[in-house]
Amino acid sequence: MIYRYVYGDPINTDAVVQQINPEDNASMPYFKQTIKEDEVVFRYEMNEETIVYGLGEQMRGINKRGFSYVSYAADDPVHTENRHSLYGAHNFMIVSGEDSFGLFVDNPGKVTFDIGDTNINLIEVTTGKDSDIYIIKGDNLKDIVRQFRVLIGQSYAAPRWAFGYQQSRWGYKCEDDIREVVDGYHKNQIPLDAVYLDIDYMKDYKDFTVDSERFPDFEGFINEMKEEHVHLVPIIDAGVKIEKDYPVYEEGVEKGYFCKDEDGNDFVAAVWPGKVHFPDVLNSKSRAWFGEKYRCLIEQGIDGFWNDMNEPAIFYSEKRLNEAMEEIAQMKDTELDINSFFHVKDIIGDLSNSLSDYKAIYHDMDGKKVCHNDVHNLFGFNMTRAAGEAFDKIAPDNRILLFSRSSYIGMHRYGGIWTGDNSSWWSHLLLSIQQMPSLNMCGIIYTGSDIGGFGCDVTEDLLMRWIEFGMFTPLMRNHSAIGTREQEVYKFSRIEDFKNLIRIRYRLVPYLYSEFMKCVLDNDMYFKPLAFDFPEDEFSKTVEDQLMVGDSIMIAPVYTQNAKGRYVYLPEDMLMVKMKSPEEYTCEPVTKGHHYISVDLNELVIFVRKDHILPLACIDDNLESMDDVDFDNVEWLGYVENEASYAYYKDDGQTKEYTEKENWDIVRKTKDMFEGGYIVK
Amino acid sequence: MIYRYVYGDPINTDAVVQQINPEDNASMPYFKQTIKEDEVVFRYEMNEETIVYGLGEQMRGINKRGFSYVSYAADDPVHTENRHSLYGAHNFMIVSGEDSFGLFVDNPGKVTFDIGDTNINLIEVTTGKDSDIYIIKGDNLKDIVRQFRVLIGQSYAAPRWAFGYQQSRWGYKCEDDIREVVDGYHKNQIPLDAVYLDIDYMKDYKDFTVDSERFPDFEGFINEMKEEHVHLVPIIDAGVKIEKDYPVYEEGVEKGYFCKDEDGNDFVAAVWPGKVHFPDVLNSKSRAWFGEKYRCLIEQGIDGFWNDMNEPAIFYSEKRLNEAMEEIAQMKDTELDINSFFHVKDIIGDLSNSLSDYKAIYHDMDGKKVCHNDVHNLFGFNMTRAAGEAFDKIAPDNRILLFSRSSYIGMHRYGGIWTGDNSSWWSHLLLSIQQMPSLNMCGIIYTGSDIGGFGCDVTEDLLMRWIEFGMFTPLMRNHSAIGTREQEVYKFSRIEDFKNLIRIRYRLVPYLYSEFMKCVLDNDMYFKPLAFDFPEDEFSKTVEDQLMVGDSIMIAPVYTQNAKGRYVYLPEDMLMVKMKSPEEYTCEPVTKGHHYISVDLNELVIFVRKDHILPLACIDDNLESMDDVDFDNVEWLGYVENEASYAYYKDDGQTKEYTEKENWDIVRKTKDMFEGGYIVK
């Protein structure tokens, strides 16, 4: 059951798709409420056993206890343990313990979740005075998630090709750079489905333009890549460059489609293109206009996009930079001391992504003037919604790949996310493992982290271990920043190992895609903490580094450097499958309980649940892309003691009109079918 | 055997105390050498099984493979995985595998150790063209360490009181702040041996001054604290404030004791006091002069110091700040764009700890003008040596507590280190576990990390888990930064648990102090990786989160949030002792192999080796400080299947003239003495 409580006069965020009648606020269970002038505080007393799940894209573990999380979308590339905000705002959490319930705080401004940080046993949620609060009671954790997901509507389904291996780097500048990457993969017989275009493909970072010197025949190049079965995925940034005769700018100014400052002038920020205006995507007309701009690229053959810098990131605003420079210039003539030094540092440091700027931006929410700070977390959502809504008109029959950096719950209906500018840190490999189930709870299913890490120099072993996890994320993209060590797998020494691991992804893809689509259609989770599937198993509740992937398997990735293996907990007897290539594998039943498992650097390990099966593609050395995967003639990997059945979802991977049950083959396998092995036709 | 190879004309760093005759460089084993114009590169090909130990205070694991380490002392408070330099430069490493040997690069400038970072199987050590290189061959890992330690001389021995629990915070400003801390501990019956004075005790951050408003009778206050059995430990910073009539400044200028710029003027940097000069501690006269300055505080009753900011940290130099401000002022009148913004950011960001400044500082090394950049890593060493050498004159009979932030091998003879400005991160708890054995190899035995973390807000659980590890480090100090959550243990909810854990430290201290002194006297390690004690045990080589502490015990700290326990590997049968207080414990033999061990948040676990014993203090609720510990009447904890003997080192904890064997009681216990228990008189 879902209970709604309305405080003040909440802004309609479009996060939810169901209309729930509000209850009396005083009747809210679980929480003690304190209503202040500007905010409402909800307090819940935990006991030692209470676990808190959720909050989507955030730092820390699967169990969110012991830290404070601030929903206020931030462009901050240094994801250390103490960061309170990342790029998204996903205000859904589940308390599991003596009481078990879900909480969704539908407020698009700043919301704080102190989960036993200040006080070890206290949850303190602080939100704006105008908030929609939902409490969800359910039979179990999965039921609570399912009810919430019905409330917020069906998740975005990516096209099937986007389950192939994808390569990206901020630094590919021209056609030849991309040809070189594709050649690098093909020459080494490593499959590849997409190459990303980061900001350098544009003419002077202008959205919806292509630099004609670097890409003299963009449409021709797109087609050339299509013949190689490689999709090109361009980036779209939030800021529209201020430049005379640039049509998007001219049109936006003329129609009044940009965000304003307090005086009603178009707000001037600076990001990659230099000075920009932000499209007011919270206004339905402006949103429709901005979304329509994607058409020019789609008509040239583009079928995937990533929306970036849409927190929105602001390097500086024109106004505040001028003020800062003025202040520094005046200080020059005074006696400079240590205080002046720190002051200058602060002035410069405070210019980017500043609250002052966010408070100086205004939206026209279909007639209502709203300060950006109050709806900050809706920007990335609505930029991506602009694209998603437009795609329904531009390409009504086709799924287009779309994911975003910033997001709010609701955006999951229009696209996925990637987890932003992580680093080539082992701790970020673990973080990405822990983020996945939290994101899934919030409806974000098409997602993944930058494999190998975006910032800093990756090492060969970190990249390999990351691929061994990333091969399970729907978005499997290797991405890195300009200036860091080159990260394409064929640039390292153990190319054959990388090739074999990436080929295993394609062997698994019938299962991964089937599970993904079922989760979308059934409002289920693709990645689950162990406790969601084994609620009676006490130890499962403490496991922070293993995940259930779909219904049939558990994974336990290695995420520490120089490790030769790791400890794994099995909540039931399972079949351990170790693979060094699609062809080279061993299977061994392992009993419920604790085990140390050796895992070579080039080895993938999965654990198949008892009486479960999963479909595997039959692939050969010629496999180049998803186009070579035959979803109809699959093999079945299984650990069948009695019998197993599997609902195998298949569609053409491209049509938008997927239906809920039609495409599901129910496959049954009995023990005798597996005589002498674990993989059968 | 130790082999020395001399390249060019090395600066005498005084790192080593033995004179080794050089070999022919061409005969150097293991490495391929490349001699370039400015540097020498040594390459060694690892195989998959090679482990690399050492490098002292650095990031990453016990096994240093998979990263590049740069010895160039850095004041950088954000210790993320990708940091190549911390505060110290400890150029000793051990390769363990097909070949096993030690390497010490005695060069006080920048030295780089690429340990399979760029190329997964290659070690590449790059040092300046003038370098002393030592290769150490030994029977086993411990033997290699012992030979190296003999080469570099006996480690500093701290006074015994410095093994008590110590409280610090950047933020204690006056007598009453400190009284409040002492009261907080005493009221809660939590023992305490020292409180630290961070920079605010000084008058305007001037070394060797005390702010007389905040401390109107400093000597009286020191005595008042002594009556409470609390030692006060003031900080001394590297920079001497430029201020007319400040005697240290006036005298240093007059005598020419400060570091110079290229033109021979005293170099002007800015740190906490504002503009400062740096004492030229690489000059023996200047060093003697600076060391003598500690006398004024010692004569007032101070018996411990920590030397800080001695990389040396430079917030900015006068010259470069003026240049920067000028450049920014000029930009103001141009068209500001995104490039100007990034340029201003870079200008300001590059001001601190800048290579340009380090290259502009000059030392007078007893007649030889040396550019600071070439001897950068010697500064902290020699500042601490200044103090240590002076202490021998000022207090020839008494051990004075002394430790430093920056260090180089050689400094270990004069003082310890703390591991600098870490953060309240769980990953830093693990880091501190991994740093300890690496530091010990380099001779640094009196050491510890800031318990609870210096930067960021600690949570109660992190502080408690950290204390459970920190109780084994010789320096057991809780320290935190101004502006962070208050970190004194009695400010949290589970005071009784903190009290019990800290009291366990005092129960263990006869063993810890005995092991510490034996390591100092025998050139042994206090913290060892498991593989050092169990070289035949293959799995031990991979264990990164357990340590041997002295001869009798192994520890396996919990370092992840919300964990209810952890996996532990036992290289042999051991006795697991769980303690929630000195009085409340359980003992259980556990067999060799892998185990999951539950460890409550308020629980300490140690593993006693078979046929080993250790002395425990008999303490009661009245215990307030080390002064209350009776080292003569101890109990013995043991896991004796046959018999065990223990060399129990005892001295008065204060006299400098400790001798090697005289103070060792050999205690023997046989199985029958433990009838019915594990702790006996």
Side-chain angles (χ1 to χ4, degrees), chain A residues 81 271 338 426-427 567 594, chain B residues 81 117 271 338 426-427 567 594:
Chain A
E81 264 182 59
V271 263
I338 192 172
W426 291 86
S427 58
Y567 291 100
H594 301 287
Chain B
E81 261 181 61
D117 177 6
V271 264
I338 191 172
W426 291 86
S427 57
Y567 291 100
H594 301 286

Side-chain angles (χ1 to χ4, degrees), chain B residues 255-270:
Chain B
K255 301 262 173 75
Y257 286 155
F258 291 124
C259 294
K260 304 283 186 271
D261 65 16
E262 208 166 6
D263 303 326
N265 302 312
D266 293 337
F267 184 85
V268 182

Side-chain angles (χ1 to χ4, degrees), chain B residues 15-300:
Chain B
V16 307
V17 296
Q18 284 183 325
Q19 187 64 33
I20 311 269
N21 289 327
E23 310 281 325
D24 175 9
N25 289 352
S27 72
M28 184 189 283
Y30 309 123
F31 290 98
K32 284 192 186 141
Q33 340 175 3
T34 312
I35 302 180
K36 301 182 182 174
E37 197 184 323
D38 286 331
E39 58 191 30
V40 193
V41 183
F42 300 94
R43 288 191 184 82
Y44 176 82
E45 193 77 33
M46 298 182 282
N47 64 29
E48 271 190 53
E49 303 311 318
T50 309
I51 296 173
V52 179
Y53 296 103
L55 298 181
E57 182 190 33
Q58 268 293 6
M59 295 300 304
R60 302 276 174 146
I62 294 174
N63 183 353
K64 308 311 282 185
R65 277 190 82 150
F67 196 56
S68 291
Y69 308 87
V70 179
S71 287
Y72 197 84
D75 167 32
D76 180 340
V78 186
H79 306 171
T80 48
E81 261 181 61
N82 57 306
R83 283 295 182 267
H84 299 286
S85 305
L86 292 176
Y87 307 90
H90 308 134
N91 301 335
F92 174 63
M93 62 179 230
I94 301 174
V95 171
S96 169
E98 210 174 5
D99 304 310
S100 284
F101 61 92
L103 169 74
F104 175 47
V105 179
D106 190 9
N107 179 304
K110 176 176 159 185
V111 181
T112 300
F113 298 84
D114 181 335
I115 317 282
D117 177 6
T118 308
N119 179 325
I120 196 164
N121 286 323
L122 189 69
I123 295 178
E124 195 171 287
V125 179
T126 306
T127 181
K129 67 179 169 51
D130 303 307
S131 293
D132 254 320
I133 309 290
Y134 298 84
I135 299 273
I136 301 160
K137 296 184 187 179
D139 296 336
N140 52 51
L141 293 167
K142 289 204 277 196
D143 181 48
I144 291 169
V145 169
R146 198 172 283 118
Q147 288 187 58
F148 176 62
R149 298 271 299 286
V150 171
L151 175 69
I152 61 172
Q154 197 177 79
S155 296
Y156 163 80
R160 199 171 62 191
W161 64 260
F163 286 74
Y165 176 75
Q166 312 184 46
Q167 181 66 53
S168 183
R169 180 172 174 86
W170 173 22
Y172 302 154
K173 286 197 187 302
C174 59
E175 290 184 352
D176 276 350
D177 286 353
I178 292 157
R179 284 192 188 101
E180 195 186 307
V181 171
V182 174
D183 285 356
Y185 278 93
H186 287 178
K187 246 183 6 211
N188 288 292
Q189 292 184 287
I190 306 169
L192 178 71
D193 268 275
V195 176
Y196 281 68
L197 303 174
D198 208 317
I199 52 174
D200 294 309
Y201 81 93
M202 293 181 268
K203 174 71 181 159
D204 300 332
Y205 307 128
K206 284 185 299 224
D207 278 341
F208 313 113
T209 69
V210 175
D211 188 312
S212 59
E213 278 184 33
R214 294 165 173 180
F215 296 87
D217 173 14
F218 194 54
E219 194 167 351
F221 184 62
I222 294 168
N223 286 324
E224 176 190 327
M225 287 296 115
K226 276 200 177 147
E227 276 166 32
E228 305 266 11
H229 303 271
V230 169
H231 298 254
L232 292 178
V233 184
I235 199 168
I236 304 292
D237 274 4
V240 171
K241 186 175 175 69
I242 297 175
E243 188 183 272
K244 207 171 154 346
D245 298 332
Y246 165 41
V248 185
Y249 160 73
E250 299 272 6
E251 210 177 303
V253 170
E254 190 196 315
K255 301 262 173 75
Y257 286 155
F258 291 124
C259 294
K260 304 283 186 271
D261 65 16
E262 208 166 6
D263 303 326
N265 302 312
D266 293 337
F267 184 85
V268 182
V271 264
W272 294 120
K275 287 176 199 159
V276 299
H277 294 320
F278 292 121
D280 188 357
V281 287
L282 274 63
N283 176 287
S284 58
K285 280 187 194 146
S286 172
R287 188 164 65 237
W289 165 76
F290 191 77
E292 187 57 30
K293 295 292 156 209
Y294 288 76
R295 183 186 291 271
C296 63
L297 291 162
I298 294 171
E299 287 180 346
Q300 291 179 76

